[in-house]
Amino acid sequence: MTQEYVDQLIDKNGNPTNPYTLARAIKDATDKLVMTSGNQMAIGGTKNFTDQLTVNGRNVLLTGDAFKDAVAVPNNDIQAINESGLYHYHSTENNLPHMDNEYANGFIMAVFTDDGDYGILLFIGSLTYIEKYQGQWRTPHSVMPVKLWEGSAKLGDTVNLKSSINEFDDLQFFVNTALGQTRLRTSATNGKTRYVTQIGQTRDGKNTRSLELTIDQSDDGNSMTISQVLFNPSPGNSTQVTDTVLERIEGIRG
């Protein structure tokens, strides 16, 4: 059997310091603890919690109205941004990192030091970010793959990419062959040559089959050529494949 002990909190003079009823406690907390303005929670500056959080008269939380106050990219150049704030960008901006078409226009959240030498830009829709460190812009990064090319390509074809692959850390290939449709990363590299290998088994599971694409990139990284497509039925000798094998290429940052 448990016993409940109820007592009042008192100050040093023995006077009760807390309300006597639950209803009064809630009202007391609302009046005294949740302040709608003033200095509270060790956040520097004067706060206003009535409609949204503001510190020294500036909005801290983004709302729908905040996006109406977004400013244009200065000089139409992404790298000209050097102050914290909310910006809106368009596909025509200079130094805009390549993103999929649905993110060609959007918003940027910028955070910078006062001297503008250190900062970061976040492109909200595509989750792409660029860091500025010691006055120098670093390579863009994103958790989302970026489509560089889509179509149908076979042995001997050259595909032109929307952005240089030199801007990306890795590539992802959508391959469609007799072994099925697969999304593959680069399996090996040799200079500017990439090897993309697809592996599968025969229906009876007794043999392993493979298909390998050899893809050469241009010096500027803006195009790629399929120079060889070999199919190995195992057992047996490899044969050259002339059917369409490649449907899409994506860039991976970070």
Side-chain angles (χ1 to χ4, degrees):
M1 180 177 179
T2 60
Q3 184 174 359
E4 182 180 0
Y5 293 89
V6 180
D7 202 354
Q8 298 291 319
L9 296 176
I10 59 176
D11 60 20
K12 64 180 181 179
N13 298 320
N15 300 314
T17 60
N18 62 299
Y20 290 93
T21 66
L22 177 60
R24 181 56 201 168
I26 295 174
K27 181 65 168 61
D28 189 68
T30 301
D31 292 342
K32 297 181 179 179
L33 299 181
V34 184
M35 301 169 62
T36 59
S37 63
N39 295 313
Q40 189 178 23
M41 297 191 300
I43 302 176
T46 301
K47 275 67 64 182
N48 176 10
F49 291 83
T50 303
D51 299 312
Q52 60 181 320
L53 176 59
T54 63
V55 177
N56 287 337
R58 301 182 64 180
N59 295 342
V60 175
L61 304 179
L62 287 178
T63 65
D65 289 338
F67 286 91
K68 297 178 183 178
D69 298 328
V71 298
V73 173
N75 301 322
N76 295 113
D77 188 349
I78 296 297
Q79 294 186 0
I81 299 176
N82 57 12
E83 293 183 357
S84 300
L86 185 63
Y87 297 81
H88 59 80
Y89 70 91
H90 301 282
S91 59
T92 55
E93 313 290 1
N94 295 318
N95 292 308
L96 181 69
H98 177 68
M99 297 174 282
D100 286 345
N101 288 338
E102 56 262 45
Y103 307 119
N105 304 293
F107 294 92
I108 303 170
M109 290 183 62
V111 179
F112 279 85
T113 55
D114 289 341
D115 58 13
D117 287 338
Y118 298 85
I120 192 166
L121 304 179
L122 172 63
F123 296 79
I124 298 175
S126 67
L127 298 181
T128 300
Y129 67 90
I130 314 175
E131 184 182 6
K132 189 177 185 182
Y133 180 74
Q134 293 182 345
Q136 300 297 316
W137 290 96
R138 291 180 166 176
T139 303
H141 286 269
S142 176
V143 297
M144 301 172 63
V146 179
K147 183 172 65 176
L148 300 179
W149 171 85
E150 188 170 33
S152 299
K154 60 183 183 302
L155 177 65
D157 286 348
T158 296
V159 300
N160 296 313
L161 309 177
K162 295 181 178 180
S163 183
S164 173
I165 64 176
N166 297 328
E167 297 180 14
F168 300 87
D169 298 301
D170 199 0
L171 298 179
Q172 191 162 251
F173 300 87
F174 286 69
V175 175
N176 192 352
T177 72
L179 299 182
Q181 189 176 34
T182 316
R183 180 183 303 181
L184 301 168
R185 295 283 187 98
T186 304
S187 54
T189 60
N190 182 11
K192 295 185 182 302
T193 299
R194 294 173 182 261
Y195 301 93
V196 181
T197 306
Q198 185 184 28
I199 298 176
Q201 286 190 319
T202 56
R203 289 183 180 276
D204 58 13
K206 294 181 179 181
N207 294 295
T208 299
R209 303 177 297 170
S210 65
L211 184 143
E212 185 173 78
L213 282 70
T214 302
I215 305 177
D216 303 317
Q217 73 179 62
S218 61
D219 290 338
D220 60 8
N222 288 318
S223 64
M224 306 191 80
T225 301
I226 303 177
S227 59
Q228 186 167 265
V229 183
L230 290 179
F231 174 69
N232 189 318
S234 184
N237 297 323
S238 296
T239 58
Q240 196 78 255
V241 176
T242 58
D243 298 330
T244 296
V245 291
L246 186 62
E247 296 182 335
R248 181 168 173 162
I249 301 175
E250 293 181 338
I252 308 292
R253 293 184 175 115

